[in-house]
Amino acid sequence: MPELISYLPDFANALVVTLGISLAAAWIGLVLGFTLNALRLAIPGFAALYRVYVWLIRGTPFLAQLAVVYFGLPVIGLRLEAVEASILSLAVYSGAYFAELFRSAWASVPKGQLEAARVHGISRSRTFWHVQAPQAIAFALPLLGNQVILTIKESAVTSIITVPELTMTAGRIVSTTFSYVMPYALLVLSYWLLTSTVAVMADALGRRMTRYLRG
């Protein structure tokens, strides 16, 4: 028990860092993905750029993308701190997955509704926001929650560039105390608490959105 108590302050600080990086990156990635999908629908020529972005990001490991941002950008004069590089890399990485989730969500809206909106003279922007968006977002919420969870777990890779998040903190404690069981047990428990909280919140939002649409 004394060993556990001695580790708690370090893990509490690391939990805040992990949560901050993950949520910031997930939020930026979500906005990026939503915007890319909206541009894909609004600008026919943008679809090719969209496919290239998704293909490139999803086809390469996050570790390689993080290395390019953190070690490559200084070559062109843009130097980022480790936390800034982590948020940027995670946002760009998760944005491709969020974009594909929104694409599949928009595809789930029956085409008959779009045709009916067009027949009644409803503009494309109003159709997007008032017909497609509520249904698509309700469809996507569980998937979006899963992607946020994946973003949280992927943030462990940022320990490579010395971000003091959960994984690096556990490794540092192990290297100084040579105690393996307790630090890694706390690491597993910390990630489980974070991901379980996100899953519960996403499920609650999904049920609320479904009730709203039915009401």
Side-chain angles (χ1 to χ4, degrees), residues 46-188:
F46 189 80
L49 293 175
Y50 172 92
R51 286 193 295 270
V52 169
Y53 165 72
V54 171
W55 168 75
L56 181 63
I57 297 300
R58 296 180 66 183
T60 54
F62 172 64
L63 177 58
Q65 298 170 28
L66 179 62
V68 168
V69 171
Y70 187 64
F71 298 109
L73 290 184
V75 175
I76 60 173
L78 183 57
R79 185 176 298 278
L80 299 176
E81 297 295 329
V83 170
E84 296 170 341
S86 298
I87 293 175
L88 176 61
S89 302
L90 265 177
V92 173
Y93 177 78
S94 62
Y97 291 88
F98 280 120
E100 283 294 273
L101 292 180
F102 282 121
R103 183 185 63 81
S104 62
W106 253 256
S108 71
V109 179
K111 293 184 178 179
Q113 295 184 13
L114 308 183
E115 295 172 357
R118 202 158 34 239
V119 167
H120 286 84
I122 300 175
S123 66
R124 292 182 64 179
S125 61
R126 290 190 63 191
T127 300
F128 179 89
W129 287 108
H130 298 286
V131 178
Q132 293 176 288
Q135 298 178 76
I137 291 174
F139 173 87
L141 269 175
L143 304 176
L144 297 177
N146 287 338
Q147 184 55 47
V148 173
I149 289 173
L150 292 175
T151 302
I152 291 173
K153 293 193 289 186
E154 204 69 57
S155 69
V157 177
T158 64
S159 61
I160 298 295
I161 59 171
T162 70
V163 174
E165 45 73 67
L166 288 167
T167 303
M168 183 180 177
T169 298
R172 178 176 54 79
I173 291 174
V174 167
S175 66
T176 56
T177 65
F178 300 101
S179 173
Y180 291 85
V181 176
M182 190 62 70
Y184 284 123
L186 282 172
L187 176 66
V188 171

Side-chain angles (χ1 to χ4, degrees), residues 6 44 48 90 166 197-198:
S6 67
L90 265 177
L166 288 167
T197 301
V198 171

Side-chain angles (χ1 to χ4, degrees), residues 30-41:
L30 189 147
V31 173
L32 176 62
F34 185 89
T35 302
L36 290 173
N37 181 63
L39 292 174
R40 179 187 64 84
L41 294 171

